[in-house]
Amino acid sequence: MVAIIRCTEAETKHLEFKERLYPPAGRHEWVWTTTRPKEFWTKGRHITLVATPDRYGRPMVSRLGHTKRLHQAADLEQKLEISQITVLTHAVPLDDVLGMLSGRHSAHLVAEGQQTEATGEAVLAALAELRPEAGDVISGLRAVIDGYRVRPGSKADEALATQRDAVLGLGRMAGMTIPQLARWDPPAEALYDDTPPPAYIDLLSRTGRDAHPDASASQRTAAPEHDIAIEDHHIGRDFETFMGWIGENTGHVAWRRFHQNGQSLLIANVNRTSAEAISGADLLYYHETRGSLILVQYKKLDRHVGGYYYPDSDRNLAKELKRMHDVDTYAAVLRKPTDDHRLNADPSWIKLCPPEGVIPQANVMVPGMYFSRQHFERLRDDPRLRDGRTGGPRFGYANVPSYLDNTMFTRLVETGMIGTTGASTELVRQQATRSVNEGRMLIAGLVMGEDQPQSARNTARRQGR
């Protein structure tokens, strides 16, 4: 739906302060909370025209945002949260927008608050006609609300959703908050299972708060240290190193590199197999300074309510567990008594997650259960996971006694509490090559540069950097 908010001068100054504090090129998302009369805010989420007064007091549509209701502030007041606020290059008088409405729509217009569906769409159409730049912003906000709907049974859509989740996870494992990873341009046409799925990293949006598409790579990397710099597809040391690990015969490789606080994060999507032939997805995370490797294999719960994963029905599982056991054994040989302590020093993990129905534009990962290989194998023999009908094991939220969730897992990786120690690049190369050669999607992250102690990471997090 669509809504209108008319700001006071004090609220306008607050917005301007926030925009100076968190410039569009920065790495932080910010929200504005306010209250309005409850009677005009009775439903869900809205694309919102934010009207601020000019120097003559005229309300000008200067911003667009996404509004959702929070808890009730008082008997007659509703608390609102406005996010994804985007400043229009040229503000337009609100009266000019509303003056373009037909009599039918004008009759249902609410001066401030949520509009009826038809009137709201007419308001957006009028704004886009007066300010064409607003059309792109509106499209992006629609994606925040509606998302990209994953078609049931579409392996290509499922592959895209998995890539997205792994990319967001890599950013968190590196301890970087990168809003750009959640803003993407969904495919304009339906995806086909008989072709390789598009690389999610290739679909990252280049509009709005991202680096300007016409800026050179050198200009983007010149951003201040507290900003995230994005580099395009050009040959650099990280990419040459990565290509040396996976070989030249890889099909399409899409990648981006991000910089923050003395560290560089390369994220790459590698896939050369049609969606219907993909045997699974691997997340590979390698921290060069620590010599730490993490491998995560994705598995899907079924689509039923309270979905389950049935290991005995997975034809690839035995081979994959053998592979994970081999890499864990290889990594153990590389450990030294002087290495940093790990709660778990094995590289191999499994993530069980439900299939997504909608891929959002929000920085939200797919809920999931993470297990180390050894934990997973032990649970297969746990009587609490036995199916009452067949006696075989099944994994689901309803019966698994313990697991790591997204936050716990990525935080442990970020702080170096899990993952290998002293892993060689040869081990990384072997695993990347095997993923590609076995027809799996590879979503890889490579971290280079200074490794901050946890105290410094915590301080930066508290200070919002």
Side-chain angles (χ1 to χ4, degrees):
M1 297 181 68
V2 179
I4 297 172
I5 286 183
R6 298 173 184 251
C7 296
T8 64
E9 288 189 11
E11 288 174 327
T12 302
K13 290 180 180 179
H14 175 73
L15 291 178
E16 292 171 347
F17 169 76
K18 284 280 194 178
E19 288 158 355
R20 290 193 300 271
L21 190 61
Y22 302 110
R27 60 191 279 263
H28 291 283
E29 299 282 9
W30 60 276
V31 298
W32 169 43
T33 56
T34 186
T35 58
R36 289 296 189 270
K38 184 178 66 175
E39 64 177 308
F40 300 117
W41 299 88
T42 59
K43 294 183 180 179
R45 300 168 180 264
H46 314 278
I47 296 174
T48 302
L49 282 67
V50 180
T52 54
D54 65 6
R55 62 177 180 172
Y56 303 108
R58 295 180 304 173
M60 306 288 290
V61 180
S62 58
R63 297 161 176 83
L64 289 169
H66 169 240
T67 299
K68 70 175 181 179
R69 296 185 306 156
L70 300 179
H71 57 79
Q72 188 172 314
D75 288 344
L76 301 177
E77 294 291 314
Q78 175 67 53
K79 190 172 184 179
L80 305 171
E81 178 185 274
I82 302 91
S83 61
Q84 304 286 328
I85 298 174
T86 302
V87 180
L88 299 180
T89 305
H90 301 287
V92 57
L94 178 61
D95 290 343
D96 289 359
V97 176
L98 303 184
M100 295 182 65
L101 301 182
S102 67
R104 177 170 64 91
H105 293 136
S106 296
H108 295 93
L109 182 70
V110 176
E112 182 177 42
Q114 67 189 46
Q115 310 296 322
T116 64
E117 184 173 353
T119 298
E121 290 300 321
V123 169
L124 293 183
L127 176 61
E129 183 174 343
L130 291 171
R131 292 291 184 270
E133 66 167 301
D136 291 337
V137 180
I138 292 169
S139 296
L141 291 172
R142 287 193 193 279
V144 173
I145 297 174
D146 299 332
Y148 177 77
R149 299 201 173 275
V150 176
R151 296 164 296 158
S154 170
K155 295 184 180 297
D157 285 5
E158 290 277 358
L160 187 59
T162 299
Q163 288 184 87
R164 172 191 173 277
D165 184 72
V167 166
L168 294 181
L170 288 170
R172 295 188 186 188
M173 291 178 203
M176 297 183 183
T177 302
I178 310 175
Q180 294 93 332
L181 292 181
R183 290 194 290 269
W184 64 296
D185 297 320
E189 299 178 351
L191 304 181
Y192 297 97
D193 289 350
D194 59 356
T195 58
Y200 174 77
I201 205 78
D202 251 352
L203 299 175
L204 294 186
S205 175
R206 285 294 183 185
T207 60
R209 299 172 184 228
D210 291 340
H212 194 281
D214 296 329
S216 68
S218 60
Q219 288 174 317
R220 280 191 291 276
T221 56
E225 186 63 19
H226 65 274
D227 289 344
I228 287 287
I230 309 174
E231 293 189 7
D232 271 320
H233 300 216
H234 72 282
I235 297 300
R237 185 173 75 91
D238 293 1
F239 187 61
E240 288 177 336
T241 300
F242 185 77
M243 286 299 294
W245 289 342
I246 62 177
E248 296 296 332
N249 187 25
T250 57
H252 180 63
V253 180
W255 69 289
R256 293 287 186 272
R257 186 165 52 189
F258 304 88
H259 299 281
Q260 177 199 340
N261 295 330
Q263 288 192 317
S264 170
L265 169 64
L266 170 80
I267 299 180
N269 294 169
V270 187
N271 182 50
R272 64 180 181 189
T273 308
S274 63
E276 61 192 1
I278 289 174
S279 61
D282 288 339
L283 179 155
L284 182 152
Y285 174 85
Y286 179 62
H287 195 298
E288 185 187 55
T289 306
R290 294 180 190 150
S292 184
L293 174 67
I294 288 285
L295 289 168
V296 181
Q297 287 203 0
Y298 276 76
K299 297 289 184 182
K300 293 291 186 182
L301 304 173
D302 64 29
R303 287 187 172 273
H304 301 296
V305 177
Y308 288 91
Y309 169 73
Y310 298 88
D312 291 353
S313 300
D314 190 336
R315 294 177 296 177
N316 296 320
L317 182 61
K319 180 176 66 176
E320 291 166 349
L321 287 175
K322 174 63 166 58
R323 173 187 169 188
M324 286 190 282
H325 181 274
D326 290 345
V327 70
D328 287 351
T329 301
Y330 190 117
V333 174
L334 301 174
R335 293 178 203 149
K336 299 177 182 179
T338 55
D339 286 341
D340 289 342
H341 171 71
R342 297 285 191 266
L343 294 176
N344 187 317
D346 290 335
S348 300
W349 292 76
I350 292 175
K351 180 179 182 180
L352 300 183
C353 53
E356 284 201 84
V358 174
I359 308 178
Q361 285 271 11
N363 191 15
V364 179
M365 294 178 65
V366 179
M369 297 181 281
Y370 291 86
F371 307 96
S372 68
R373 175 192 57 83
Q374 295 185 41
H375 186 197
F376 179 85
E377 290 180 332
R378 179 167 296 185
L379 286 174
R380 289 187 69 183
D381 298 323
D382 193 316
R384 291 172 291 184
L385 273 62
R386 293 293 167 184
D387 189 316
R389 296 165 298 174
T390 65
R394 63 174 185 169
F395 287 68
Y397 286 101
N399 66 340
V400 170
S402 62
Y403 58 87
L404 299 183
D405 61 18
N406 287 323
T407 301
M408 296 168 66
F409 178 76
T410 56
R411 189 79 170 104
L412 288 172
V413 176
E414 176 199 344
T415 54
M417 296 305 293
I418 60 176
T420 63
T421 56
S424 65
T425 55
E426 174 60 21
L427 176 59
V428 179
R429 186 195 65 79
Q430 288 179 11
Q431 298 314 306
T433 301
R434 289 183 68 174
S435 291
V436 174
N437 289 343
E438 293 176 9
R440 301 179 68 82
M441 285 194 306
L442 176 62
I443 306 97
L446 167 64
V447 176
M448 296 174 148
E450 176 187 356
D451 184 23
Q452 291 185 322
Q454 185 172 342
S455 59
R457 292 178 179 274
N458 291 344
T459 298
R461 184 176 283 105
R462 286 194 299 269
Q463 294 177 348
R465 294 203 303 268

